[in-house]
Amino acid sequence: MQTIMAFLIGALFAASIYMMLRRSIVKLVIGLILLSNAANLLIFTVSGLTRGLPPLIPEGAALPEGGWADPLPQALVLTAIVIGFGVLAFAVVLIHRAYEVINEDDLDKMRSTDT
Amino acid sequence: MSPEVALPVIIPFIAGALSLIFYKSHAAQRWIGVIGTGALLLASIVLLYNTYTQGILVMAMGNWPAPFGIVLVSDLLGAIMTVLAAIMGFGVALYSLPTISRDHEAFGYYPLTHLLLAGVCGAFLTGDVFNLYVWVEVLLVASFALLILGGERAQMEGAIKYVALNLLSSILLLVAVGLTYGLTGTLNMADLAVKLPQVEDQGMVTVVGMLYMVSFAIKAGAFPLFFWLPASYHTPPVAVSALFAGLLTKVGVYALFRFFTLLFNQDVDYTHEILLWMAGFSMITGVLGAAYHYEIRRILSFHIVSQIGYMIMGLALFTPLAIVGGVFYIMHHIIVKANLFLVAGAVYFMRGSYELKEIGGLWRTRPWLGLLFLIPALSLAGLPPLSGFFGKYIIIRAGVEAESWGIVAVALVVGLLTLYSMIKIWAEAFWKAQPEEHADRAAAFEKRLNDHSLMLMVIPILSLAAITVFIGLGAQPIYELADAAAEQLLDPSHYIRAVLGEAP
């Protein structure tokens, strides 16, 4: 499972970098979406994949029985998804507004503020 | 348990929420802006005083003990940065009153500034790596919205680059946080400082360190990752530019200082060598970029890059004196750089342009503004007895003691070229006569300017200039403060003991 996930994350990173290097601003945002998903999967995977062992403590005990899945990375991923969602919503609105103002979706034609 | 550690984070949040409640009343928002940032300034000064007298202060959020819950930690570096952020916030809040247009106020300028300050203070005070990521996102979202306030074409273009590269850097930070957790099973910085050296695969630790370095170097605007900075910092309203110039890149520098003293100090030869090259090239490219431009804000933006080089040089040399110099330089730089942007704004409201070719004659009409420009400008270039001289002197002296002749030579030459840029602004904007073809616009802007708004602009400029002179003339207490901060940075055991208790 870890290996498959590693390949999946690698493919996502590669795809996102490719998309971000394209000139269209829409593809730039698609690249950012893929990148944030790849990062979330990476956190989830490196902290260990555990199936079917929820970290629930039985009545009267101090620790869960047997092994358990680490809840912290799940909390981290949840936070990161929420933040990523908010930021990407902003990015989508931004490129929409930018397209309205500049009337152009080619990054190569947005050079007036460059140096 | 020290509740004052949380105040610099809570106060801007309350102020931001209050300004949202009074969203329709701009007058109320302005009052909340001034009073809220003023309260933040008081709280941060109390925090710095308590940190100086009582040692590192820790507050466990929700009373969860250290390695498990999130802690806010105020060591001297964090407290100093918080005070600087509060000074910036207060000064810019005053400066915003006459310079921010009604349209911008209507789109939530004040709530966003408070949110930005909360994010910055949170990033300076947190003791948890993931929490740092959250604060960085808080301040980024606020800065995105501030950057496009007004929605002009240049702002949109700048914002796309700014947003894309800063999101990339945040995601790299997130990846590094995930890998850190995978390696050590903890995210508390003090706990990491204990556990990272025990990790078997030290090569992997360095890889993760490099990820942090790239991520924070993008945020700090260091070579070769700074291109978003000069492409975007000159586009928003000038009060926003000043706030960004003072604070945002310094969050990256602060994080580099924190991570590469506390956490990643195992392979100093490798990591800090890279930092040293980064520092040298940042200085050179920044100052050369500035020499090329004739738009005040673009010149100043490039100088941010070059000055970041000096701070990173302090970190990269990694001797006690060099770290002192780095901390001193950050203190001096935030004040001076923001002040230069504020002066640039004042010039704009008198002449109607930031292009040096289109303005002039300010020395004839307002010689006092010329003097107020010269104080931060000469300080930036490092002329005695102003604050920049001592910052550069300490860092260069540390370089000489470490026998890193190359970087010392670069630092000295860049100081000269900085002087050239500053003299260029001085000669063009203040000394030469106003060009005839733009005289009408200048006259129109002069007519619009009234004494009341001019005074509100000058108060923060004058106060920041006074702080610059104070740091220069009274360098000894500031040096001692920086020295104490550097001592805490170089001996992580203080930090670890404060957070984790006596027996880690």
Side-chain angles (χ1 to χ4, degrees):
Chain A
M1 192 65 186
Q2 296 258 5
T3 326
I4 301 172
M5 287 299 276
F7 276 107
L8 174 65
I9 293 165
L12 275 175
F13 268 108
S16 68
I17 300 288
Y18 175 73
M19 288 306 254
M20 289 176 75
L21 292 177
R22 304 288 298 270
R23 280 159 49 184
S24 152
I25 47 175
V26 179
K27 285 168 185 160
L28 175 74
V29 170
I30 294 176
L32 286 174
I33 295 173
L34 289 179
L35 195 63
S36 83
N37 286 337
N40 290 337
L41 280 179
L42 183 124
I43 299 181
F44 202 51
T45 313
V46 288
S47 3
L49 292 172
T50 319
R51 285 186 71 183
L53 291 168
L56 298 176
I57 304 171
E59 190 118 14
L63 282 174
E65 288 160 356
W68 65 86
D70 188 349
L72 186 72
Q74 302 181 14
L76 298 186
V77 171
L78 196 59
T79 316
I81 288 174
V82 174
I83 293 176
F85 183 74
V87 171
L88 286 170
F90 177 86
V92 171
V93 176
L94 173 69
I95 61 164
H96 176 67
R97 280 288 298 155
Y99 182 74
E100 280 181 352
V101 173
I102 309 171
N103 226 349
E104 187 64 67
D105 85 327
D106 186 346
L107 281 171
D108 272 3
K109 302 229 168 75
M110 300 187 187
R111 283 194 171 158
S112 69
T113 69
D114 271 2
T115 40
Chain B
M1 186 58 56
S2 321
E4 68 264 41
V5 182
L7 276 184
V9 184
I10 294 172
I11 290 173
F13 268 130
I14 293 177
L18 279 177
S19 358
L20 281 180
I21 292 174
F22 295 104
Y23 198 73
K24 294 268 185 254
S25 162
H26 298 168
Q29 287 192 30
R30 276 177 234 144
W31 276 107
I32 296 167
V34 173
I35 295 171
T37 49
L40 173 64
L41 184 58
L42 282 182
S44 60
I45 290 173
V46 169
L47 178 66
L48 177 61
Y49 178 76
N50 286 355
T51 314
Y52 193 67
T53 49
Q54 300 166 19
I56 299 174
L57 300 176
V58 181
M59 178 173 179
M61 303 310 282
N63 242 342
W64 290 89
F68 306 111
I70 290 170
V71 286
L72 291 183
V73 185
S74 160
D75 71 340
L76 272 174
L77 179 65
I80 291 170
M81 300 299 286
T82 314
V83 171
L84 290 168
I87 294 175
M88 261 13 308
F90 188 55
V92 169
L94 285 180
Y95 194 85
S96 306
L97 299 176
T99 60
I100 293 295
S101 73
R102 300 293 159 261
D103 294 347
H104 294 167
E105 283 182 342
F107 281 103
Y109 170 77
Y110 288 107
L112 287 168
T113 359
H114 290 303
L115 189 65
L116 182 80
L117 284 173
V120 170
C121 291
F124 289 153
L125 291 176
T126 184
D128 183 278
V129 185
F130 189 78
N131 198 230
L132 177 71
Y133 162 76
V134 175
W135 288 121
V136 166
E137 291 292 313
V138 168
L139 75 90
L140 271 187
V141 169
S143 73
F144 292 165
L146 281 173
L147 190 65
I148 57 165
L149 218 56
E152 286 163 26
R153 183 189 161 113
Q155 287 181 301
M156 289 299 166
E157 292 190 15
I160 285 182
K161 291 152 201 167
Y162 178 86
V163 169
L165 281 170
N166 274 292
L167 282 186
L168 179 69
S169 115
S170 299
I171 291 171
L172 284 178
L173 175 58
L174 186 59
V175 167
V177 170
L179 291 175
T180 314
Y181 187 75
L183 277 178
T184 58
T186 180
L187 290 172
N188 181 289
M189 288 188 197
D191 205 20
L192 277 175
V194 176
K195 287 192 177 142
L196 274 176
Q198 299 163 0
V199 172
E200 212 163 284
D201 190 356
Q202 279 298 315
M204 196 60 199
V205 173
T206 309
V207 170
V208 175
M210 286 293 113
L211 268 175
Y212 281 117
M213 190 191 286
V214 172
S215 163
F216 293 136
I218 294 179
K219 294 212 185 302
F223 179 88
L225 308 159
F226 64 83
F227 292 98
W228 58 271
L229 195 156
S232 62
Y233 267 29
H234 59 93
T235 57
V238 69
V240 178
S241 286
L243 200 57
F244 282 18
L247 292 180
L248 294 197
T249 48
K250 259 53 79 183
V251 174
V253 175
Y254 162 81
L256 281 176
F257 266 75
R258 173 70 72 222
F259 276 66
F260 287 90
T261 53
L262 181 65
L263 306 181
F264 297 99
N265 49 15
Q266 298 89 24
D267 198 356
V268 173
D269 285 344
Y270 179 70
T271 50
H272 289 64
E273 177 81 23
I274 297 176
L275 283 173
L276 197 63
W277 283 94
M278 204 188 256
F281 278 109
S282 299
M283 288 186 221
I284 297 176
T285 46
V287 87
L288 290 182
Y292 164 77
H293 277 290
Y294 272 89
E295 208 259 38
I296 303 180
R297 289 179 302 173
R298 287 188 190 232
I299 297 174
L300 295 178
S301 306
F302 265 109
H303 273 297
I304 298 177
V305 177
S306 118
Q307 305 287 311
I308 293 291
Y310 283 97
M311 299 168 209
I312 298 181
M313 174 181 162
L315 173 64
L317 291 170
F318 208 61
T319 61
L321 189 63
I323 302 277
V324 176
V327 175
F328 193 102
Y329 208 93
I330 294 176
M331 289 195 249
H332 134 78
H333 172 85
I334 292 183
I335 303 284
V336 163
K337 179 53 79 183
N339 200 8
L340 282 170
F341 269 95
L342 295 184
V343 175
V347 169
Y348 175 78
F349 285 102
M350 290 167 191
R351 286 293 179 268
S353 174
Y354 292 103
E355 290 290 342
L356 287 175
K357 304 270 191 208
E358 299 174 7
I359 59 178
L362 276 167
W363 180 251
R364 184 184 292 272
T365 52
R366 294 208 169 74
W368 49 267
L369 187 71
L371 288 178
L372 284 180
F373 168 75
L374 278 183
I375 291 174
L378 295 182
S379 177
L380 191 78
L383 261 64
L386 297 162
S387 58
F389 168 74
F390 292 100
K392 283 204 172 71
Y393 174 74
I394 301 170
I395 288 185
I396 289 173
R397 165 128 194 218
V400 170
E401 280 177 10
E403 300 189 350
S404 308
W405 304 114
I407 196 85
V408 168
V410 168
L412 288 170
V413 171
V414 169
L416 269 184
L417 288 171
T418 309
L419 190 58
Y420 161 72
S421 288
M422 291 301 123
I423 295 297
K424 184 168 76 183
I425 299 180
W426 162 257
E428 295 278 335
F430 290 91
W431 198 242
K432 81 164 197 266
Q434 168 72 33
E436 284 300 322
E437 58 268 40
H438 299 288
D440 293 348
R441 182 172 58 191
F445 267 77
E446 279 285 354
K447 206 184 274 175
R448 237 192 292 164
L449 200 66
N450 59 42
D451 284 346
H452 179 66
S453 57
L454 191 63
M455 197 181 73
L456 281 172
M457 274 192 251
V458 169
I459 289 172
I461 295 176
L462 193 64
S463 322
L464 292 181
I467 297 177
T468 310
V469 173
F470 171 75
I471 298 180
L473 294 180
Q476 185 64 26
I478 306 289
Y479 175 84
E480 276 163 15
L481 190 63
D483 189 41
E487 195 189 309
Q488 286 182 354
L489 285 176
L490 282 172
D491 187 0
S493 63
H494 296 299
Y495 190 96
I496 296 167
R497 218 176 313 127
V499 176
L500 296 180
E502 285 305 321

